[in-house]
Amino acid sequence: MREPRRGLAETLSHIDSLLGDGRSREDVLDVGRLSLDSGVPREVVEALLEGGEPPAEDITDRIVRRFGHLRETRLRPDGSRHSYEEIAAAFGASRASLSNLVNSRRRTAGRGAEQRPGRSGGPLASTQAGIEKFYFGQPNGWLSAEPETALDDALQPVLRGLEEQAADPMARLRHAHGLRRLAARAPQLAEEEIQLVTDWIDTILERRRAQGAHDAQGAHDAQGAHDAQGAQGAQGAPGQGVRGRGVQRAREQGAPTPGADAPPRDVR
């Protein structure tokens, strides 16, 4: 069995190595989903993904908290929580056994400190196993697992998905480019040919992205020049006053231009 912290680090390292295509962890890891699946609080998931350590937590507090997490997030079809009676009856226990788990606190004989039971044998262990089985087959030990182990387990579906993509040359086309028709024709292509097609599409898409950025900049520059020219034209030609604009309107309406039919002056 792997040491929890080392196991989580190895899984994250493996995920990082499979990302490629300029992707980051944020592209494939949903913190909310990981928290839901692992029973680890969201802020603790974020800290663990950054290489931090989880806060100290008593094992019984962890069991009780995750039991509450299951009741709040794995609901009946009508949206209500499963009752203690319903859960206990599913594995032949009583409601009291669940109450004892939730409220379990023992005082060590002769000492003032509280002693809380872990996953030792006996009724407590069987109660935990029954709860885990009731809630859609949670793996044995889910309630009491260390945060690193719980998160590591929740990351495994993500890791398997990335491994499948890496093993399947068409996965990049399906996931990155959505080329379903080409993916459907994959059996007709050799693996080397599929890889060539994938690289070719990557190159074309990169060129189109670069061209799109260039065209957008050109359009922006052209619009700026057009706006500047329009603003200059709106000011009118130099020397054109109110009378000039009146003459222009008169010409357009067919009216005689003031001064056009006046007799020539005698210059003698």
Side-chain angles (χ1 to χ4, degrees):
M1 183 176 181
R2 297 192 301 178
E3 191 274 325
R5 189 171 181 80
R6 178 179 300 176
L8 176 60
E10 291 175 355
T11 295
L12 289 173
S13 177
H14 197 177
I15 288 174
D16 290 341
S17 69
L18 292 170
L19 289 175
D21 297 329
R23 292 187 295 175
S24 64
R25 286 184 188 176
E26 289 73 18
D27 297 321
V28 297
L29 300 184
D30 183 339
V31 173
R33 184 70 198 185
L34 291 173
S35 176
L36 177 68
D37 293 343
S38 66
V40 178
R42 183 186 183 97
E43 62 274 12
V44 178
V45 170
E46 293 174 341
L48 290 173
L49 292 177
E50 294 295 326
E53 295 185 3
E57 184 178 29
D58 180 274
I59 188 171
T60 299
D61 288 342
R62 183 186 306 148
I63 293 169
V64 172
R65 179 180 55 74
R66 288 188 184 164
F67 179 29
H69 173 79
L70 289 175
R71 292 193 71 215
E72 294 293 336
T73 60
R74 277 66 163 178
L75 303 174
R76 292 188 180 123
D78 64 1
S80 62
R81 294 182 301 177
H82 294 279
S83 67
Y84 285 165
E85 290 85 354
E86 180 183 5
I87 299 169
F91 56 95
S94 64
R95 183 186 189 285
S97 64
L98 297 187
S99 296
N100 290 338
L101 171 63
V102 172
N103 301 312
S104 57
R105 289 175 179 266
R106 297 178 183 175
R107 291 190 176 276
T108 305
R111 296 173 57 185
E114 292 182 340
Q115 176 67 32
R116 299 170 183 246
R119 277 194 67 87
S120 57
L124 180 58
S126 63
T127 299
Q128 292 178 51
I131 294 171
E132 291 161 349
K133 184 177 180 180
F134 176 83
Y135 279 105
F136 309 105
Q138 294 295 333
N140 186 39
W142 187 90
L143 286 172
S144 60
E146 296 286 341
E148 295 92 340
T149 300
L151 179 57
D152 191 8
D153 290 342
L155 286 168
Q156 295 310 306
V158 178
L159 178 58
R160 286 193 296 269
L162 292 172
E163 288 174 335
E164 290 171 2
Q165 291 181 35
D168 180 6
M170 289 306 298
R172 284 174 59 195
L173 297 179
R174 287 195 297 268
H175 292 275
H177 309 311
L179 302 180
R180 299 180 183 278
R181 290 185 180 180
L182 189 56
R185 297 173 57 187
Q188 303 176 19
L189 300 175
E191 183 172 338
E192 295 80 4
E193 295 171 323
I194 293 174
Q195 188 63 51
L196 286 174
V197 171
T198 303
D199 294 339
W200 176 66
I201 292 173
D202 284 337
T203 300
I204 291 177
L205 292 177
E206 183 59 35
R207 287 179 180 175
R208 295 191 69 172
R209 282 192 291 267
Q211 184 62 44
H214 180 270
D215 291 345
Q217 183 62 44
H220 181 271
D221 294 343
Q223 183 62 42
H226 177 75
D227 293 344
Q229 184 178 3
Q232 182 178 358
Q235 296 175 359
Q240 183 181 20
V242 175
R243 182 179 183 278
R245 290 194 293 272
V247 170
Q248 179 63 30
R249 284 197 297 271
R251 287 175 178 172
E252 293 173 353
Q253 297 172 2
T257 303
D261 297 329
R265 292 187 301 172
D266 187 354
V267 296
R268 292 177 299 173

